[in-house]
Amino acid sequence: MIGFIAHLAYSDSFEFNPLVLIPIFMWLSIYPVIFTQYFYLTFTDDQFLLRNSIYTRWQRTYNYNDIIKVKLFGGRGLYCGPYIQVFTKTNPKHAWSYVIELVAAKDFPDLLDTFKEKNIPVETDQGFDYLVDRNFTRF
C-alpha cells in the first residue's frame, strides 16, 4: 500500500486526497492491539502471574487461595490461540480472557500438572484437550 501511495505521489497527475490516509490511520490504531495476545504464565509459591511480554506493566497476579477455578480453551478459530480464564472468589461468574500465545504447546500437559499440584480446579474445552493430546509425549 505504501508503494502504491508513493507511486501516486510521484506521478504527474497526483492530487492529494485525504481519504488515502484512512487505511494508514486504521492500521496504526489496530497495530498496538496485536501485542495484547502475548501472555505467559509464572508460578510462585503462593501466587500465579499472567504477564504480557510486550506491554511489561500489564500483568495480573492471583493468589492460589483466591482462585475458584481455571478454564483453558484451545482457541476461538484460526486467528486466536489458546487462552485462559481465572475465576476468583471476588468475581466468581466473570473472568477476563488472556491469550497465552507465548506458552509452548508442548508445555500444556505440564501446565495442567502444575495447576493440579497447586490444588486448583481446571476445566478444559475440547480444543485444549486436542492440543494436550497432540503434544503429549511423556508416554
Side-chain angles (χ1 to χ4, degrees), residues 14-132:
F14 175 72
E15 290 182 27
F16 179 74
N17 188 345
L19 294 177
V20 172
L21 298 176
I22 290 175
I24 294 171
F25 288 125
M26 287 178 59
W27 184 79
L28 290 175
S29 67
I30 294 172
Y31 184 72
V33 176
I34 294 169
F35 297 117
T36 62
Q37 298 185 12
Y38 296 106
F39 281 93
Y40 63 95
L41 311 174
T42 304
F43 293 94
T44 63
D45 291 336
D46 58 343
Q47 292 181 335
F48 164 62
L49 295 109
L50 281 159
R51 292 185 176 169
N52 191 300
S53 65
I54 306 296
Y55 302 119
T56 56
R57 294 180 190 243
W58 189 356
Q59 69 177 11
R60 183 68 194 255
T61 304
Y62 298 99
N63 292 324
Y64 292 135
N65 54 2
D66 291 338
I67 297 175
I68 295 174
K69 68 180 172 181
V70 172
K71 286 187 175 183
L72 294 166
F73 299 91
R76 293 183 183 164
L78 182 62
Y79 299 110
C80 182
Y83 63 98
I84 187 171
Q85 289 181 324
V86 181
F87 293 89
T88 61
K89 293 177 182 175
T90 57
N91 202 358
K93 296 188 188 250
H94 177 72
W96 192 261
S97 298
Y98 296 95
V99 178
I100 49 175
E101 191 73 32
L102 291 181
V103 178
K106 66 179 181 169
D107 293 334
F108 289 153
D110 295 331
L111 178 65
L112 291 173
D113 291 343
T114 305
F115 281 123
K116 288 179 185 176
E117 288 173 8
K118 305 294 184 183
N119 295 324
I120 298 172
V122 178
E123 294 180 10
T124 59
D125 75 335
Q126 194 174 22
F128 193 82
D129 291 338
Y130 170 75
L131 293 174
V132 170

